[in-house]
Amino acid sequence: MSAYPVNMSIKPEVTAFFDEDTNTISYVVKDPESNACAVVDSVMDIDYAAGRITFAHADNIIAFIKDNGLELEWIIETHVHADHLSAAPYIQEKLGGKLGIGSKITVVQDTFGKVFNEGTEFQRDGSQFDRLFEDGDTYQVGSMTCFAIYTPGHTPACMV
């Protein structure tokens, strides 16, 4: 029996957005009983050769949410991504919603803050996020109860 109670009668509507340049899939997860949704692992476009950041991938997600009359409640990061930049702050600025990540983000922030010699102005306390999830925490997307499950491996902050 699972430690996480699951209501199998709710089947979220999941739409995937593949970013070819970073080989990353972002998701919009919609509550089937309302217009509430969450975005998981959003990506900003980066032209490494030119050192330029653009927002086409994030803009496609934003357009999908707007075109379908959805209300963004959460932007979830499953972990910090070394292979791409997150579009979460950009999407949050455009659509609102709360930004969440695993609580061990502070370990990653502290490690990379030292590696990249970031000064004290870079906060290493997770304050860039609205919620730091612990294993077993729950949050709502419309009528769906979502569960944070700690899955360390790729980074110490990984969660699903």
Side-chain angles (χ1 to χ4, degrees), residues 93-107:
E93 177 185 310
K94 300 291 184 186
L95 298 176
K98 295 180 225 156
L99 183 53
I101 195 165
S103 65
K104 297 215 180 338
I105 185 62
T106 58
V107 174

Side-chain angles (χ1 to χ4, degrees), residues 35-154:
N35 287 329
C37 73
V39 171
V40 180
D41 288 341
S42 59
V43 179
M44 283 197 310
D45 304 299
I46 185 164
D47 179 337
Y48 292 102
R52 182 180 22 206
I53 295 171
T54 59
F55 304 98
H57 185 78
D59 286 337
N60 287 338
I61 292 171
I62 291 167
F64 176 83
I65 290 170
K66 286 181 175 180
D67 292 348
N68 288 281
L70 304 180
E71 182 180 328
L72 183 60
E73 294 188 351
W74 282 97
I75 306 165
I76 301 296
E77 295 290 346
T78 59
H79 63 288
V80 173
H81 306 271
D83 57 346
H84 71 262
L85 299 174
S86 170
Y90 176 77
I91 293 172
Q92 187 178 43
E93 177 185 310
K94 300 291 184 186
L95 298 176
K98 295 180 225 156
L99 183 53
I101 195 165
S103 65
K104 297 215 180 338
I105 185 62
T106 58
V107 174
V108 176
Q109 288 176 327
D110 188 52
T111 300
F112 282 99
K114 291 173 184 169
V115 167
F116 292 110
N117 199 26
E118 287 294 327
T120 56
E121 68 277 359
F122 177 71
Q123 298 299 311
R124 295 174 174 96
D125 60 0
S127 59
Q128 303 85 348
F129 301 89
D130 296 303
R131 178 123 179 240
L132 302 180
F133 293 109
E134 298 289 342
D135 185 46
D137 282 351
T138 63
Y139 60 99
Q140 292 295 128
V141 176
S143 66
M144 297 187 302
T145 299
C146 305
F147 297 87
I149 303 171
Y150 183 49
T151 56
H154 189 59

